[in-house]
Amino acid sequence: MTKKLTDKDIPAFAEIKNYINGKFHNPIHNNWIDNYNPSNGEIYGQIPNSSKEDVENAYKAAKTAFPSWSQTTLEERSRILIKISELLEANLQRFAEAESKDNGKPIALAKAIDIPRAASNFRFFGNAITQFASESHESIGQNAINYTLRQPIGVVGCISPWNLPLYLFTWKIAPAIAAGNCVVAKPSEVTPMTAYLLGEICNEAGLPKGVLNIVHGLGGTTGQAIVEHKNIKAISFTGGTTTGAHIARVAAPMFKKLSLELGGKNPNIIFADCDYEDMLDTTVRSSFANQGQICLCGSRIFVEASIYEKFKADFITKVKALKVGHPSEADTNIGALVSKPHLEKVKAYIAIAKEENGTVLCGGNEVTVKGFEKGYYLEPTVIEVPHDECRVNQEEVFGPVVTIMPFNTEDDVLLMANKVKYGLSATLWTNNLKRTMRISNELQAGIVWVNTWMMRDLRTPFGGVKASGVGREGGFEALRFFTEAKNVCIKY
Ligand code: NAD
């Protein structure tokens, strides 16, 4: 059991508590986890390592809130969700600072993307629920009419990862509560801060107590207790593929509804006929945004042979110009990796790539940032691989590391693009329409971007195939996941 620290031990100590029934609580067993600031490697706070009993309390609060919340009018639910969105926007700076400190991401990114997107999630689903209609089917000649009810499930569990902490946490919570469910949610133990702050915002917005309950803790204890809880009827999970498979095994005997958004190893396919400058700038972003720690990053770059050498030279020039620095500095492009163990994992993949005859074209080393020597900084790294089957090309690294290699034909690149266990997203750069259609049809991925990357319309389905997951989030897909369809057939 980790000792409870206070602000006598650490200046500006950040104490995070569970948010249950609208109030903040210490964990029942007074068991705590240290929370590190990746930019300087120091402990700056603690979070509860919540037990089964804490999860049970969160469940009870959610269960008690459910009858009333599920009967709350759509207009009222919508009003509260939109209020949460407005309060997040009003608190942008505070949330962005917390996210950057917790995760190591540049504050500019947190301000421009993460927190605004969390606000959009609430606004979007606050509006979407008022447009969520159910079908009816008239059985002609049988004097019967069928209509479908979309009923909230009850108490649902939402479990999210550390890479886009509030963005992904709210991407689950917002549709769950919009659809009339009550929630037991767990953010990543590595990045708990903004989820904690969200509790205050929910109270201020007038979200009735117990509708959202946030328990902090380790995956194997707190997360496991949520998944194992026999009355938490659905689990929406985003995280690693191994964890997803484990959750599926635990949940299957209880026939829980599952949405699993898992890992990726996304191809970025570049044809010579693309808009070169646009492709180059976007490829730098799709490779290294958020230190490459986005499930959608294009970690395998395939370049048509005729422009391969030119691309290689231009890409490396741009990558070398990226500034690795403290996340709070406005001109930092690459902040800190999220944790020491994660930094070690990414470094190990660079070593494996070298052993497998990969050539490190740039990067590959840790960076010492003056004044923050114990932070987890790594150079953006480009590795030229001898073939597409080496481990660094097949396994998810989830850091500022991309591989590049040339291809000759459309068939060759399609084969390589699809020859991984994952199938989350893919990016294609070409101005040839027929090729666009052919390749988009054939790519094994849930999302294909053509001549762009990570452009998101929240109405569209989001999710992966193969080991990248099961189910779709986004738009009405998310509202369908968080409701049970019941058909009523009336004979007249
Ligand atoms: P992770 O699987 O280690 O953890 C994710 C969450 O699951 C955390 O909250 C963790 O505490 C919890 N957890 C761990 N073990 C659990 C268990 N036994 N029962 C219940 N919960 C448990 O993943 P991570 O390292 O936090 O995140 C990185 C991974 O997430 C990468 O693989 C990345 O590709 C993936 N990811 C996927 C998407 C997507 O939309 N497909 C988005 C972001 C991240």
Side-chain angles (χ1 to χ4, degrees), residues 269 271 410-411 414-415 417-418 423 426-428 430 432-450 465-466 472:
I269 302 170
F271 281 90
E410 200 177 296
D411 285 348
L414 249 177
L415 195 68
N418 287 337
T427 302
L428 174 62
T430 179
N432 180 324
L433 181 62
K434 288 181 182 169
R435 174 190 285 149
T436 299
M437 305 295 285
R438 280 194 302 270
I439 297 189
S440 302
N441 284 349
E442 293 301 320
L443 280 167
Q444 295 167 0
I447 304 134
V448 177
W449 280 293
V450 181
V465 298
K466 303 198 289 188
R472 292 293 178 271

Side-chain angles (χ1 to χ4, degrees), residues 159-164 168 171-172 186-190 217-227 235 237-244 246-247 250 260-264 293-296 338 342 345 396 398 422 424 447 462-464 468-469 473:
I159 301 176
S160 60
W162 50 257
N163 64 322
L164 304 170
L168 290 175
W171 181 232
K172 300 180 176 306
K186 190 193 94 61
S188 168
E189 61 275 26
V190 188
L218 298 175
T221 47
T222 317
Q224 182 83 13
I226 294 173
V227 179
I235 302 288
F237 170 81
T238 298
T241 293
T242 308
T243 316
H246 171 78
I247 287 176
V250 175
L260 302 173
E261 299 291 341
L262 310 176
Q293 301 167 145
I294 303 181
C295 53
L296 304 166
V338 75
H342 190 59
K345 176 191 150 186
E396 188 183 42
F398 214 57
Y422 298 103
L424 187 53
I447 304 134
F462 179 91
S468 290
E473 297 185 323

Side-chain angles (χ1 to χ4, degrees), residues 42 150 160:
E42 287 169 8
R150 284 267 163 198
S160 60

Side-chain angles (χ1 to χ4, degrees), residues 48 311 374 428:
F311 171 81
K374 288 199 285 176
L428 174 62

